Amino acid sequence: MKITYTFFYGIKLKFLSLWAMLHFQQLWLLIYRFGHDQELISFIDRQDTVHGPNVVSNISLTFPVENTIPVKLTISYLKILSQQFSLESHQIIAIEKNRLDVLVHVTTEAFSMLDTNKLITLERLPEDCRGMIITAETQGSNVAFDFYSRYFHKCGVEDAVCGSAHCGLAPYWSKRLSKSTMNAYQKSERGGSLKLTMKETNFEVLLINHT
């Protein structure tokens, strides 16, 4: 199903989904191709409006919150985590889910040693999930970030910097850390840092030094 997104100054584009469009690399291309002289770009679909001030060095977006709820660490989840990421049950702190993704909170040590060499596919995830988030709290007083994350699509491809994954990460870590503003780092091969500011029903994401 295709959805039409309308920039506030009248340009219309079609994409397969809102979340696919919101990957930041595509957003950079849209800004420089169509909105380089605009102060604000708005993306509208049937449910949500996402606003992005046009900043040359950084991108700021407002996303809807997608709260996660705890789920059981079933044998099916354990097999996925073991076979695809070489994770064991004692390394898993929590597993939660929202309408988009499965979120797996692991120990900091397990995250730093995360093995993706065996990763082929995550098709065994529930049908209503598009992928899996693996996340961990940072350690040390000199660390600039509050938490790390990595995002893997169901097909087994890792997303470099997935803004929409933080729809679940932001409220999850806000509760865990008792913070309304957090610094996050998505630790993919390319990587990207994000500043998250929680509000009541949404949160703002500032993408910093994205290359």
Side-chain angles (χ1 to χ4, degrees):
M1 179 179 65
K2 291 188 176 182
I3 302 173
T4 299
Y5 298 90
T6 306
F7 293 84
F8 76 102
Y9 47 89
I11 296 175
K12 295 183 179 180
L13 297 173
K14 289 185 177 180
F15 293 87
L16 292 177
S17 69
L18 172 62
W19 305 114
M21 186 278 295
L22 287 177
H23 293 167
F24 287 114
Q25 56 267 42
Q26 285 95 329
L27 183 56
W28 275 109
L29 292 174
L30 292 176
I31 287 176
Y32 282 105
R33 175 65 179 87
F34 298 108
H36 61 278
D37 59 345
Q38 305 295 327
E39 293 183 358
L40 178 70
I41 297 176
S42 295
F43 306 97
I44 304 170
D45 78 345
R46 295 177 182 176
Q47 296 179 341
D48 304 303
T49 301
V50 180
H51 301 288
N54 188 353
V55 183
V56 174
S57 58
N58 302 321
I59 294 177
S60 179
L61 292 174
T62 300
F63 286 82
V65 164
E66 296 287 351
N67 290 305
T68 58
I69 59 173
V71 296
K72 290 183 178 181
L73 184 57
T74 62
I75 294 177
S76 177
Y77 282 132
L78 280 172
K79 283 184 177 180
I80 292 171
L81 294 168
S82 174
Q83 294 173 1
Q84 304 297 323
F85 300 105
S86 299
L87 286 169
E88 299 179 7
S89 59
H90 70 272
Q91 297 173 308
I92 301 167
I93 296 174
I95 181 166
E96 301 202 357
K97 183 181 179 297
N98 59 21
R99 71 183 183 93
L100 300 172
D101 305 304
V102 172
L103 184 154
V104 182
H105 179 184
V106 300
T107 64
T108 306
E109 182 181 7
F111 186 90
S112 65
M113 300 173 63
L114 194 65
D115 181 8
T116 59
N117 291 325
K118 298 178 182 178
L119 178 60
I120 299 175
T121 179
L122 297 175
E123 290 298 330
R124 290 185 179 179
L125 286 174
E127 290 184 2
D128 60 346
C129 286
R130 60 173 191 163
M132 176 175 281
I133 303 165
I134 299 180
T135 185
E137 186 175 359
T138 58
Q139 291 183 344
S141 58
N142 296 325
V143 180
F145 305 104
D146 295 296
F147 66 88
Y148 296 129
S149 69
R150 295 180 71 175
Y151 183 81
F152 303 91
H153 291 280
K154 222 171 186 178
C155 63
V157 175
E158 181 170 10
D159 197 314
V161 185
C162 185
S164 59
H166 289 77
C167 291
L169 283 164
Y172 177 83
W173 283 110
S174 180
K175 292 176 183 177
R176 284 265 179 175
L177 303 175
S178 299
K179 289 185 175 183
S180 59
T181 299
M182 297 159 288
N183 292 309
Y185 189 79
Q186 188 155 338
K187 218 168 184 181
S188 61
E189 183 177 352
R190 184 176 64 179
S193 54
L194 306 93
K195 183 176 181 179
L196 314 177
T197 302
M198 286 290 300
K199 296 182 178 181
E200 289 186 5
T201 58
N202 56 48
F203 70 99
E204 292 180 351
V205 177
L206 177 63
L207 180 66
I208 304 168
N209 296 332
H210 179 57
T211 56

